[in-house]
């Protein structure tokens, strides 16, 4: 197994966090983590990047091989892999990290509002400017992206992504592994199936009982 190049193997990393993934979501999440003053961000892991180089101002510590030794030393993990219509890489990573016993904290930007009455699952991420209002519930490994709004009593399942500026109104629910695109609006008290993808800018005016991709105003299924 490859040890990260910049860390001593005896070092306790319980106050540290490592980011997995080196793409656009990692960039946004890193900005959230830097402002939190909760963990030291020791670097990121991405097999597609050259180890010991710099990405978004943090060192690339290696690929997958470097993960387990960090977890064993108590390092928390932030999943920096994003998702749109394909949830599987992010979900597979979450599963693998759970099996490893990794600490996968929910991460909430200092510039977000999460009601004290809202519930967040493990590895949920609430980015800058997002609002999760009273009695809302966010499933494990779900992203509430920058400036998204999850209104009162809305329920977002596990492994979802509510993209930038999207709105899920009060008492609506979104099933697991779903994606709500940028600026889309889900009207209140609707039930959306699992594995739904709602296109950017769509307005969902009725419940969506079947998986599929929906676009437009009002949102209709793509054939
Ligand atoms: C809905 C979406 C997932 C569909 O992607 P796709 O399956 O690759 O579909 P295509 O791009 O092949 O488009 C299929 C058809 O739907 C239309 N369409 C795609 N997205 C649309 C949207 N958001 N609104 C209206 N129509 C849309 C296309 O024009 C095309 O129409 P046509 O067949 O008449 O030419 C994607 O277009 C989308 O909106 N993604 C959201 C991006 C986003 O919000 N990212 C967030 C990053 S934080």
């Amino acid at each position: 197994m490859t040890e990260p190049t910049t860390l001593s193997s005896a070092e306790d990393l319980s106050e540290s966090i490592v980011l997995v993934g080196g793409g656009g979501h990692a960039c946004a999440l890193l900005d959230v983590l830097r402002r939190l003053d909760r963990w030291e961000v020791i670097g990121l892991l991405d097999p597609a990047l050259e180890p010991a180089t710099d990405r978004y101002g943090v060192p690339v510590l290696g690929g997958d091989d470097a993960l387990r030794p960090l977890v064993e030393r108590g390092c928390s993990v932030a999943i920096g892999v994003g998702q749109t219509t394909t949830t599987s890489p992010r979900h597979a990573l979450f599963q693998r990290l759970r099996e490893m016993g990794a600490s996968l904290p929910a991460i909430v930007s200092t510039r977000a509002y999460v009601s004290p009455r809202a519930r967040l699952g493990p590895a949920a991420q609430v980015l800058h400017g997002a609002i999760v209002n009273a009695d809302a519930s966010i499933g494990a490994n779900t992203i509430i992206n920058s400036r998204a709004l999850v209104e009162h009593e809305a329920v977002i399942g596990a492994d979802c992504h509510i993209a930038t500026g999207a709105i899920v109104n009060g008492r609506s629910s979104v099933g697991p592994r779903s994606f709500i695109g940028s600026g889309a609006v889900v009207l209140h008290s609707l039930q959306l199936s699992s594995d739904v993808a709602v296109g950017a800018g769509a307005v969902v005016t009725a419940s969506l009982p079947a998986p599929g991709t929906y676009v437009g105003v009002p949102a209709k299924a793509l054939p």
Side-chain angles (χ1 to χ4, degrees):
M1 283 191 288
T2 312
E3 275 286 305
T5 50
T6 55
L7 298 164
S8 129
S9 60
E11 202 175 334
D12 169 40
L13 298 177
S14 55
E15 298 300 316
S16 302
I17 196 161
V18 67
L19 205 59
V20 183
H25 184 62
C27 179
L29 192 59
L30 193 50
D31 202 74
V32 169
L33 289 169
R34 282 195 173 110
R35 285 162 190 274
L36 278 178
D37 204 22
R38 164 68 184 85
W39 299 279
E40 182 193 356
V41 183
I42 57 168
L44 63 79
L45 303 175
D46 189 330
L49 299 175
E50 190 68 31
T53 57
D54 179 279
R55 179 74 161 176
Y56 305 133
V58 295
V60 177
L61 301 175
D64 284 359
D65 287 354
L67 191 51
R68 189 178 289 276
L70 292 172
V71 166
E72 285 172 356
R73 284 150 64 192
C75 189
S76 293
V77 182
I79 300 178
V81 175
Q83 68 183 55
T84 51
T85 51
T86 308
T87 58
S88 42
R90 186 178 164 92
H91 176 69
L93 185 55
F94 176 69
Q95 284 298 109
R96 196 153 64 84
L97 285 162
R98 280 200 116 163
E99 283 158 21
M100 251 183 230
S103 161
L104 290 159
I107 293 166
V108 178
S109 162
T110 53
R111 302 183 69 89
Y113 176 72
V114 175
S115 164
R117 289 185 53 83
R119 292 174 297 280
L120 296 183
Q125 299 171 349
V126 185
L127 277 72
H128 296 323
I131 295 175
V132 178
N133 226 334
D135 294 274
S137 171
I138 310 297
N141 199 33
T142 278
I143 303 167
I144 309 299
N145 218 325
S146 310
R147 296 198 66 182
L149 166 61
V150 178
E151 251 304 339
H152 62 89
E153 302 162 90
V155 176
I156 313 295
D159 303 304
C160 290
H161 178 187
I162 311 301
T164 46
I167 296 175
V168 178
N169 274 305
R171 296 186 180 159
S172 281
S173 63
V174 177
R177 301 176 300 281
S178 292
F179 168 72
I180 309 295
S182 290
V185 177
V186 177
L187 300 193
H188 66 91
S189 304
L190 301 180
Q191 277 79 53
L192 276 55
S193 157
S194 61
D195 304 289
V196 155
V198 172
V203 178
V204 180
T205 58
S207 291
L208 303 176
T213 301
Y214 299 82
V215 299
V217 182
K220 301 281 184 210
L222 278 182

